């Protein structure tokens, strides 16, 4: 019987990160989704700002597509959808446009797809939590949201907050939807 109450989704368990671990970062693979929408004729992209203690006062070159690490044997596209849902609590719906991959400064390879969608900004994002040893090496642990903010940015303004290594995703998105923009006479 329907109680009339919405079911609260179960969030993934808290992930524990050691800030002083020396595990090589090379070879890590992530997958994510770049959601976009049209707002009064302007193309906008949805970006997320990482939570945690690392970047408390930084807003430039830090925002990212919602993404996360691919599990061993996991399909890249399935990982991208799973990570998007875990990171921001929004259920993505295709069709999906492949945006290829980029390699970030730390050696991580990020695979991305784009999809058209929207988010009601009156509803807060739902994100997973991470447990972080902070300060590094202190033995003190605290829990932080994996993502502390998310927002839509006009494509023309998204480069400033977005990680530099992910800028090619913006160019590839524009190229993949350029024919539709031309058909509808929407400025690029």
């Amino acid at each position: 019987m329907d109680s009339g109450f919405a079911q609260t989704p179960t969030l993934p368990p808290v992930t524990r990160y050691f800030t002083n671990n020396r595990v090589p970062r090379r070879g890590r693979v992530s997958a994510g989704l770049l959601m976009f929408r049209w707002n009064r004729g302007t193309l906008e992209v949805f970006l997320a700002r990482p939570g945690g203690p690392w970047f408390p006062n930084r807003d430039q070159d830090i925002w990212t597509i919602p993404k996360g690490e691919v599990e061993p044997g996991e399909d890249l596209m399935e990982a991208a959808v799973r990570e998007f849902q875990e990171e921001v609590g929004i259920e993505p719906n295709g069709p999906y446009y492949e945006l290829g991959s980029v390699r970030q400064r730390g050696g991580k390879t990020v695979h991305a797809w784009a999809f058209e969608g929207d988010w009601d900004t009156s509803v807060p994002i739902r994100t997973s939590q991470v447990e972080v040893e902070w300060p590094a090496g202190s033995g003190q642990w605290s829990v932080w949201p994996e993502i502390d903010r998310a927002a839509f940015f006009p494509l023309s303004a998204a480069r400033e907050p977005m990680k530099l290594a992910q800028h090619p995703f913006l160019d590839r998105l524009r190229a993949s939807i350029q024919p539709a923009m031309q058909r509808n006479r929407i400025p690029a």
Side-chain angles (χ1 to χ4, degrees), residues 1-19:
M1 180 173 156
D2 184 15
S3 66
F5 293 99
Q7 295 294 316
T8 303
T10 303
L11 292 176
V14 172
T15 304
R16 184 171 262 212
Y17 288 98
F18 287 89
T19 55

Side-chain angles (χ1 to χ4, degrees), residues 93-171:
N93 294 302
Y96 300 99
Y97 304 92
E98 187 172 353
L99 300 178
S101 64
V102 297
R103 188 173 188 103
Q104 296 185 162
R105 256 189 315 238
K108 180 189 289 185
T109 300
V110 179
H111 299 268
W113 288 262
F115 74 100
E116 187 169 2
D118 208 347
W119 168 54
D120 179 354
T121 57
S122 70
V123 177
I125 60 169
R126 290 186 327 268
T127 188
S128 50
Q129 304 288 307
V130 293
E131 189 173 11
V132 177
E133 182 186 25
W134 194 258
S138 69
Q140 297 177 355
W141 292 87
S142 56
V143 176
W144 300 79
E146 194 162 0
I147 299 296
D148 68 7
R149 282 185 280 160
F152 275 100
F153 293 87
L155 185 67
S156 60
R159 291 178 189 278
E160 187 174 328
M162 188 178 200
K163 282 183 164 241
L164 180 63
Q166 293 182 16
H167 287 187
F169 293 146
L170 302 177
D171 300 327

